[in-house]
């Protein structure tokens, strides 16, 4: 058995914003059509919304949902998706080589978001469109002035403005695959002008400029610097996207995904702060990690191979326990950066690399990756506490000096409880983790624990066996005064809750 020791201090790293437990709904594959929206399904309500998906979205604790894309948004005309359904055009979606009937659009999404109790995050098209269309969209959504666009919204049955707060200025504009892809300078100027116009319509919005599509992009770093040099005065946040997968049987590198995400976050922070400093601004640009997940991109044959079809089955990865362990650890990294990460969206919500899976005539089910998300979103405390961790490290193919244990400790708003998240990266060994909480409270009470991993890592939940995987409890948890000792199974993610009987 390996050993690790954590000493927790009363110093706060940051406050967790609920918006880091966000998700993403894109017009892609069966995420919208046949996912959250399926008028022909016996599980749909009168509006065509899958009520079982809505319930699972609430159960997951999803706070915010980004919409309508993704690559999709870079060729999207938002006007196609509003007004009487029978007059909406059917179009080719070039991003995913699909047929888009536009029977689900902005107002349907807003109705769904209200039902699912999530905040919307909207993306504007800066691929094939520009300043005017983005300004029109926000006027349609948020303005209560008596103008043609707000009258149009009212004529569509929406009297009160949608009042959408969070807006993405395009999607992955650094990617050569993006429709309307631009170099950093061209994108930055367009984003800055679009941001200016949108804020003139509604000053009280959060604007997110596109950072890199992933850390390995050849332009990563310089892209962030150039984009912020031109736009920092007009934007609030910069985006990050990252998908992780297991290459071959290299489990250790896969378990290093959260360390790689951590490094990515730090590198973006450095770039953002450097621009701010150089310009002599008293402005801190925080981060929106608005696409992240485990995604087996190597299994996807690519868009070129697709025939144009409506709602094809695209990237419906079936997740294993091992994938869920990694998803849990990615959430830990996001929490650990609570001081700088304001939004984060797991991509995507249903079917398309989603934690929720659905078929027309069957109840929706929870993929393995549902559990770490739900447990983190629902149980994480308000404040992330700092600490020093002693653990052995190893070199992985994709990350040198990888700490074999990762931990995050959060405390509730009223200081009465703690949540401890722990990842054991040991492939074969258990790890005995000792946590010294003297600075936090003199008497602790163990409430419960949830654990994924340690056993058969290949198990999945699927149509035939929708409840094969559920989190278990940790076998060994000992509380002695203000010290907690737990035994973490090999390759596992755990969440442990404690009550503070007498806080310090
Ligand atoms: O989530 C799937 C796709 O991944 C999104 O459309 C795109 O933004 C990213 O590359």
């Amino acid at each position: 058995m390996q050993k690790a020791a954590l000493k927790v201090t009363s110093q706060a790293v940051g406050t967790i914003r609920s918006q880091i437990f966000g998700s993403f709904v894109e017009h892609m594959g069966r995420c919208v059509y046949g996912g959250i929206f399926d008028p022909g399904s016996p599980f749909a309500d009168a509006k065509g919304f899958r009520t079982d998906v809505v319930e699972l979205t609430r159960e997951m604790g999803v706070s915010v949902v980004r919409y309508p894309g993704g690559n999709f948004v870079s060729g999207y005309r938002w006007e196609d998706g509003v007004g009487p359904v029978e007059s909406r055009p059917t179009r080719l979606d070039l991003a995913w080589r699909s047929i888009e009937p536009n029977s689900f659009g902005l107002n349907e999404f807003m109705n769904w978001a209200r039902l699912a109790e999530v905040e919307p995050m909207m993306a504007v098209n800066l691929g094939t469109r520009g300043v005017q269309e983005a300004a029109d969209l926000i006027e349609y959504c948020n303005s209560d002035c008596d103008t043609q666009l707000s009258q149009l919204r009212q004529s569509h049955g929406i009297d009160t403005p949608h009042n959408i707060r969070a807006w993405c200025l395009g999607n992955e504009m650094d990617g050569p695959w993006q429709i309307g892809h631009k170099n950093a300078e061209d994108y930055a100027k367009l984003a800055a002008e679009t941001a200016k116009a949108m804020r003139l319509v509604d000053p009280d919005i959060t604007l997110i400029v596109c950072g890199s599509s992933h850390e390995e992009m050849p332009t990563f770093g310089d892209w962030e610097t150039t984009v912020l040099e031109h736009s920092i005065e007009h934007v609030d946040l910069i985006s990050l996207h990252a998908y992780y997968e297991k290459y071959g049987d290299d489990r250790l590198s896969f378990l290093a995904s959260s360390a790689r995400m951590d490094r990515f976050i730090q590198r973006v922070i450095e770039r953002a702060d450097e621009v701010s400093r150089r310009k002599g601004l008293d402005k801190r640009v925080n981060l929106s990690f608005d696409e992240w997940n485990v995604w087996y991109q190597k299994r996807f044959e690519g868009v070129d191979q697709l025939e144009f079809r409506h709602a094809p089955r695209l990237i419906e990865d079936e997740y294993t326990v091992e994938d869920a362990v990694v998803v849990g650890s990615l959430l830990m990294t996001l929490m650990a950066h609570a001081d700088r990460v304001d939004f984060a969206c797991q991509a995507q919500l249903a079917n398309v690399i989603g934690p929720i899976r659905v078929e027309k005539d069957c109840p929706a089910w929870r993929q393995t990756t549902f559990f770490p998300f739900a447990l983190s979103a629902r149980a994480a405390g308000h404040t992330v506490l700092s600490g020093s961790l002693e653990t052995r490290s190893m070199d992985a193919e994709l990350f040198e000096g990888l700490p074999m244990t990762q931990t995050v400790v959060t405390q509730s708003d009223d200081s009465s409880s703690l949540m401890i998240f722990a990842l054991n990266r040991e492939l074969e060994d258990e790890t005995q983790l000792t946590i010294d909480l003297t600075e936090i409270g003199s008497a602790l009470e163990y409430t419960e624990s949830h654990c994924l991993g340690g056993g058969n890592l290949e198990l999945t939940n699927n149509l035939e066996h929708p409840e094969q995987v559920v989190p278990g409890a940790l076998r060994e948890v000992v509380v002695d005064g203000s010290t907690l000792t737990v035994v973490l199974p090999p390759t596992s993610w755990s969440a442990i809750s404690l009550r503070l009987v007498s806080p310090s």
Side-chain angles (χ1 to χ4, degrees):
M1 177 165 344
Q2 303 293 338
K3 289 201 165 53
L6 172 69
K7 183 166 174 47
V8 182
T9 80
S10 54
Q11 214 182 320
V13 172
T15 302
I16 296 184
R17 286 167 48 101
S18 64
Q19 284 90 341
I20 70 165
F21 300 111
S23 189
F24 177 34
V25 165
E26 175 167 12
H27 286 245
M28 174 182 178
R30 297 192 312 128
C31 186
V32 172
Y33 304 105
I36 67 168
F37 179 71
D38 196 354
S41 162
F43 296 92
D45 66 9
K47 291 193 166 95
F49 301 145
R50 287 282 302 235
T51 53
D52 48 356
V53 175
V54 166
E55 272 159 34
L56 287 180
T57 305
R58 291 202 205 119
E59 183 184 319
M60 255 179 91
V62 174
S63 56
V64 58
V65 175
R66 182 167 174 254
Y67 175 83
N71 296 345
F72 171 80
V73 79
S74 296
Y76 183 52
R77 288 171 259 214
W78 66 267
E79 303 88 335
D80 288 351
V82 295
V85 176
E86 54 288 0
S87 332
R88 299 186 194 171
T90 294
R91 295 203 191 267
L92 294 184
D93 156 27
L94 303 180
W96 299 112
R97 288 179 69 82
S98 299
I99 306 280
E100 173 55 58
N102 282 305
S103 49
F104 187 98
L106 170 63
N107 295 323
E108 285 78 20
F109 174 70
M110 291 305 292
N111 279 335
W112 177 86
R114 250 184 303 277
L115 194 64
E117 296 166 9
V118 301
E119 178 189 335
M121 173 193 261
M122 199 62 61
V124 302
N125 173 357
L126 291 188
T128 58
R129 310 189 97 190
V131 182
Q132 188 62 61
E133 293 89 345
D136 286 352
L137 173 57
I138 192 166
E139 185 180 330
Y140 176 93
C141 288
N142 285 10
S143 175
D144 58 3
C145 294
D146 196 15
T147 64
Q148 192 208 32
L149 281 164
S150 63
Q151 283 167 11
L152 183 67
R153 186 195 63 240
Q154 286 164 31
S155 77
H156 297 156
I158 322 289
D159 289 336
T160 319
H162 287 311
N163 202 15
I164 299 169
R165 298 293 99 215
W167 293 85
C168 303
L169 297 161
N171 176 70
E172 295 188 351
M173 298 308 301
D174 62 324
W177 60 85
Q178 202 67 214
I179 299 169
H181 157 66
K182 292 165 183 56
N183 67 34
E185 198 144 300
D186 290 350
Y187 166 67
K189 288 179 183 165
L190 177 60
E193 292 308 314
T194 306
K196 244 166 67 185
M198 290 176 74
R199 224 188 272 285
L200 286 169
V201 179
D202 184 345
D204 194 19
I205 51 175
T206 299
L207 286 165
I208 303 152
V209 75
C210 288
S212 294
S213 303
H214 53 82
E215 197 188 356
E216 285 76 33
M217 289 297 289
T219 48
F220 170 60
D222 294 343
W223 173 275
E224 278 69 9
T225 299
T226 308
V227 163
L228 286 175
E229 263 164 4
H230 287 86
S231 68
I232 194 166
E233 286 87 355
H234 305 290
V235 302
D236 304 291
L237 308 174
I238 186 160
S239 74
L240 297 82
H241 289 182
Y243 293 99
Y244 301 94
E245 66 189 292
K246 185 176 174 187
Y247 299 100
D249 57 4
D250 186 0
R251 180 176 301 153
L252 192 57
S253 288
F254 188 36
L255 292 171
S257 302
S258 53
R260 293 169 61 209
M261 180 191 241
D262 182 85
R263 183 185 59 196
F264 185 20
I265 290 173
Q266 288 183 46
R267 291 174 74 186
V268 175
I269 291 173
E270 276 163 27
R271 291 286 179 155
D273 290 354
E274 193 189 306
V275 174
S276 190
R277 222 178 6 254
R278 229 187 3 253
K279 289 195 152 208
L281 297 173
D282 182 25
K283 175 169 186 171
R284 202 171 77 158
V285 174
N286 276 356
L287 315 188
S288 173
F289 215 123
D290 46 46
E291 279 187 43
W292 69 267
N293 208 348
V294 169
W295 171 13
Y296 287 86
Q297 300 201 40
K298 61 174 178 249
R299 291 181 199 155
F300 180 45
E301 287 171 4
V303 180
D304 301 350
Q305 309 301 317
L306 302 173
E307 303 261 322
F308 277 106
R309 282 185 39 218
H310 172 57
R313 284 177 190 270
L314 294 182
I315 61 169
E316 300 193 359
D317 289 4
E318 185 170 318
Y319 289 116
T320 63
V321 171
E322 187 179 25
D323 298 326
V325 169
V326 171
V327 163
S329 69
L330 295 170
L331 284 158
M332 285 167 66
T333 296
L334 292 167
M335 287 189 259
H337 286 282
D339 56 334
R340 296 302 295 260
V341 178
D342 284 7
F343 285 87
C345 304
Q346 187 186 35
Q348 300 185 4
L349 181 68
N351 290 332
V352 176
I353 49 174
I356 299 173
R357 280 297 309 274
V358 24
E359 294 294 342
K360 194 178 215 58
D361 298 320
C362 309
W365 69 94
R366 302 164 187 80
Q367 291 234 58
T368 57
T369 52
F370 180 97
F371 300 110
F373 189 109
L375 287 163
S376 303
R378 304 219 71 95
H382 187 66
T383 310
V384 178
L385 300 175
S386 69
S388 52
L389 176 68
E390 279 173 35
T391 178
R392 79 182 188 114
S393 59
M394 278 184 76
D395 287 342
E397 192 70 38
L398 294 181
F399 198 94
E400 275 179 27
L402 180 68
M404 296 305 280
T405 318
Q406 179 187 354
T407 54
V408 172
V409 179
T410 69
Q411 186 162 25
S412 62
D413 224 355
D414 62 359
S415 304
S416 67
S417 60
L418 295 173
M419 276 299 293
I420 294 160
F421 299 94
L423 173 76
N424 185 14
R425 292 192 175 106
E426 297 289 346
L427 304 183
E428 309 292 341
D429 291 344
E430 294 179 325
T431 295
Q432 185 184 67
L433 173 66
T434 307
I435 307 175
D436 177 352
L437 291 151
T438 325
E439 268 196 40
I440 315 302
S442 54
L444 305 170
E445 228 173 62
Y446 167 60
T447 318
E448 59 179 358
S449 63
H450 303 275
C451 175
L452 284 155
N456 183 349
L457 296 171
E458 298 306 316
L459 287 181
T460 63
N461 285 343
N462 50 48
L463 187 57
E464 288 73 39
H465 307 285
E467 291 178 358
Q468 186 159 239
V469 178
V470 285
L474 283 171
R475 216 169 15 89
E476 284 185 58
V477 183
V478 177
V479 177
D480 180 11
S482 51
T483 302
L484 170 77
T485 305
V486 292
V487 175
L488 305 173
T491 312
S492 67
W493 171 91
S494 303
I496 305 141
S497 33
L498 299 173
R499 217 164 64 78
L500 278 169
V501 185
S502 46
S504 295

